[in-house]
Amino acid sequence: MMERKPSCTESPSLGSEKEPLTCRARSECKKDGQLLRNCKPSLRLSEELNKVHPSPGERAESDHTSNKYLAVQSPDAPCNGTRNGIDDGSAPTLTVIPSCRAEVQHLQTDLVERETWSKKIDFLLSVIGYAVDLGNVWRFPYICYQNGGGAFLIPYVIMAVFGGIPLFYMELALGQYHRNGCISVWRKICPLFKGIGYAICIIALYVASYYNTIMAWALYYLIFSFRSELPWTSCHNEWNTENCTNYFQNSSVIWINSSISPAEEFYTFSSSSSRLVLQIHKSKGLQELGGVSWQLCLCLLLIFTIVYFSIWKGVKTSGKVVWVTATFPYIVLTLLLIRGATLPGAWRGVIFYLQPNWEKLLTTEVWVDAAAQIFFSLGPGFGVLLAFASYNKFHNDCYQDAMVTSTVNCMTSFMSGFVIFTVLGYMAEMRNLEVSEVAKDTGPSLLFITYAEAIANMPASTFFAIIFFLMLITLGLDSTFAGLEGVITAVLDEFPHVWGKRRELFVFLLISVCFLGALSTLTFGGAYMVKLFEEYATGPAVLTVVFLEAIAVSWFYGMNRFCRDIKEMLGFTPGWFWRICWVAICPLFLLFIICSFLSSPPELRLFNYKYPNWSVVLGYCIGTSSFICVPIYMVYRLSSTPGSLKERFIKSITPETGTEIPLGAIHMNAV
């Protein structure tokens, strides 16, 4: 396809004599840190490689034009690439002249190779670890049985094929082609929407402020699991109340409405004495959260310490850590599935999980839940896929990656349902209740109360408790690595001269901000804040952000241009299915979820606490605080751009810079 001859000559700087220079390698074509003029490797390009997309803002009449070498023009030409007002069509030469010195320095920076994944498997494990999180373990099984059991798989698969996977593929392709984070990538797509990048970063900070608290709870449980008898097994502890009912150890005990299991008392609260985990009885609600739990504070500090030393050096470090954090949950899920299948009553849970209720498919709520579940499970819109894909090699098959990781994610959710419901069937058998009564809890309560209690009463309970809570921690760590890497990549790409060589310091400051932001979730009423953040800080904001992202790419950047980008990377053009999904189906898919959420906002309730009406207003304010970046930046962009309103708008939707296309060792610019 392309051959490179190892010779090049140097043209002198201004005012110097011509001195020929022979070099054998690209690195030798420099002198005193300056780019050398006429350092043009001879290239023989095939017709296919010589066709790339036109430069943004300077589109030729034809669909394809020849590449130009990434360079500054010769002294008798201005920096715009023309000589005496005429583009001679030849490859420009490099020189250092006063009027272009700033551009030379910028190009020297751009020529530095971007960090890439050590191995392809590092990228795949990182993406799978990000997509497969705690929500796969507790949210999917609960939503599945609540919305028709096996019948729910029909809308789930439909929403995945026509909504989730196309959006997943789109973000991987954008990140890999443009090789930028979620802020600076918009300079190459549609500058008017750059506020999307800032909104994504704020959303990621909100997620880091509550998501890691759940891992702190899991770590606290893990510490207490290293005992011969798990503390949430019996009712003989100092924190237990008279309502504590241990039906596992005494078959004659009758479970009544006022009964509280030892696991629930360990996790939550009662009217007297101190509890070990949430201590939620010390808080009166959102209006009075209470003090900070120092035990949980130390646990969260340890979690963030692990996170820092896993991501501080970049993807080459985190890519090694995910070999453990991304694979360990599958080992544990397999062990728990085998153990759960052998428990008495497990079949009751499986039947309840999969028994189809076809009438549910006629209700709108089922389709809304399916769309929301697949969207939040795959996770487009958080800047993570853009960041991870930006460290791929240019010709990496991101289409195959999207198919593999999406399939693994969906299958993991389905498998987690069996893991959870075999145990719930066992719980129902022991309590002599219906599975629906045992499975009424959702969210973290399903893991820290129901599942923890079942594990505590299995043979070898200590072993299964240790590996279960280790699994929860590793599931959470993967997603935290990914979420913070999305912010780090975005900031370092947008401000390379400030933070480019200070990554370790920036990561430390970012982790510190996240820790301070999480203090409200570490209070005695912190569980109320976790629920509020989970429902409002991410849901509507990230949905709106991805909706605008899909519109910007499909309608402003242009579907033809985006498909040409993919062809340059992969060698083939996306088919009509993908084009239709990106242009119409995906935006409608997102708009459907947004409208459903706004028309019926979730009712906030946790345990016996019903959130006050003003908490809904607070929730919308938190969500709006991130999304507001988008219109604010649009106003700033239009007001700071010179020209008439029409000229400002056209310039604001026109990409500012082209994307360098690395062909072998040569960086090409599409112009």
Side-chain angles (χ1 to χ4, degrees), residues 535-536 540 594-604 616-617 620:
E535 294 292 345
Y536 285 100
I594 294 170
C595 293
S596 300
F597 182 92
L598 295 177
S599 62
S600 57
E603 180 184 1
L604 292 179
V616 177
V617 178
Y620 278 117

Side-chain angles (χ1 to χ4, degrees), residues 456-473:
N457 291 278
M458 292 179 184
S461 59
T462 297
F463 169 74
F464 283 107
I466 291 173
I467 64 170
F468 176 71
F469 292 113
L470 272 176
M471 179 192 73
L472 296 185
I473 293 172

Side-chain angles (χ1 to χ4, degrees), residues 579-657:
R579 291 171 179 254
I580 294 173
C581 285
W582 289 326
V583 170
I585 297 179
C586 286
L588 292 175
F589 163 84
L590 292 165
L591 192 61
F592 172 64
I593 308 176
I594 294 170
C595 293
S596 300
F597 182 92
L598 295 177
S599 62
S600 57
E603 180 184 1
L604 292 179
R605 180 184 293 274
L606 184 64
F607 307 122
N608 295 323
Y609 176 74
K610 184 177 181 180
Y611 284 67
N613 294 331
W614 56 265
S615 64
V616 177
V617 178
L618 176 62
Y620 278 117
C621 289
I622 294 174
T624 306
S625 65
S626 57
F627 171 71
I628 197 68
C629 294
V630 180
I632 287 178
Y633 186 84
M634 287 181 174
V635 173
Y636 163 75
R637 180 80 190 188
L638 292 173
S639 62
S640 61
T641 302
S644 64
L645 182 60
K646 181 179 179 180
E647 292 171 341
R648 294 179 183 185
F649 180 76
I650 293 176
K651 189 172 183 180
S652 296
I653 63 174
T654 303
E656 297 175 352
T657 58

